[in-house]
Amino acid sequence: MTLALNPIPFWFLRHGETDWNAEGRSQGRTDIPLNTVGLAQARRAALAMVDRDIVTIVASPLSRALRTAEIVAEALNLPVGTDVELQEVCFGTEEGKPMGDWYDDWVAGTYTPDGAETFNGLHDRAVAAINRATALPGPVLVVAHGALFRALRRALGHAPNVRTPNALPTFCSPPASGAVWEISPVTLPHLPA
């Protein structure tokens, strides 16, 4: 049985850019830090999250997501909690390699790299982690990863294989009826020069 999301709205933020993002490499669980661009993206996301009434921030413990969350938390004067189940998918033998043709098959469930987590496994882990987060006082901001959000897109009733931009705050709200959630990215402010 596939897990379903609690019908509770939440904010999602993918971490800022890393060098491996810029190079088009599969990061997975490899703990690559934010680069200079990623740090600036996190600061811009923090500005966009001010006055959104966020109460709780939960992040992946991988440094790229945790640092992004810390930058936002500083702007919101909030602590950051972590959930190990918000970590990025393990890509096994594909980690560190350029993203390849295998990725579409992985999302479709017809191929899993050696040593990697299945897309369905990622889906269930991601949904369970979001459900734990949204059980906390809200509104909740979850700071995590791109492949994890692809799995969440499936749970939200959307096509999963869509790239999530780095550090773009997105509000996910349950439907009044039906199975498709609303996914609403915010307009980001310009950073001061």
Side-chain angles (χ1 to χ4, degrees):
M1 182 174 122
T2 302
L3 292 177
L5 287 164
N6 294 334
I8 300 169
F10 64 95
W11 286 92
F12 185 88
L13 179 63
R14 181 184 179 203
H15 60 79
E17 184 185 87
T18 69
D19 287 345
W20 281 19
N21 289 143
E23 295 165 6
R25 295 166 69 183
S26 302
Q27 289 181 119
R29 295 274 173 87
T30 305
D31 201 4
I32 305 300
L34 297 177
N35 61 20
T36 304
V37 170
L39 290 166
Q41 289 173 333
R43 288 190 292 273
R44 185 174 65 179
L47 292 175
M49 296 309 296
V50 172
D51 297 327
R52 304 272 180 187
D53 299 322
I54 301 297
V55 173
T56 302
I57 301 174
V58 182
S60 159
L62 293 175
S63 65
R64 58 191 183 267
L66 185 56
R67 184 68 189 120
T68 300
E70 290 168 347
I71 290 169
V72 174
E74 184 177 326
L76 303 181
N77 197 29
L78 291 172
V80 176
T82 59
D83 185 333
V84 70
E85 297 300 314
L86 288 171
Q87 287 186 92
E88 183 59 294
V89 66
C90 175
F91 280 132
T93 56
E94 291 296 330
E95 289 199 16
K97 297 179 183 175
M99 297 298 288
D101 295 339
W102 62 269
Y103 199 83
D104 292 339
D105 293 333
W106 173 71
V107 171
T110 58
Y111 170 76
T112 300
D114 288 341
E117 185 176 12
T118 66
F119 189 77
N120 286 338
L122 172 63
H123 172 276
D124 289 350
R125 177 169 62 81
V127 169
I130 294 297
N131 286 346
R132 279 192 301 280
T134 58
L136 299 170
V140 172
L141 168 64
V142 173
V143 185
H145 304 275
L148 185 127
F149 195 69
R150 288 179 199 240
L152 286 175
R153 284 180 59 86
R154 177 182 285 168
L156 296 167
H158 291 261
N161 204 2
V162 175
R163 186 178 188 282
T164 302
N166 290 100
L168 178 63
T170 302
F171 189 65
C172 302
S173 54
S177 63
V180 179
W181 287 51
E182 187 172 333
I183 299 175
S184 307
V186 303
T187 301
L188 292 171
H190 292 288
L191 287 176

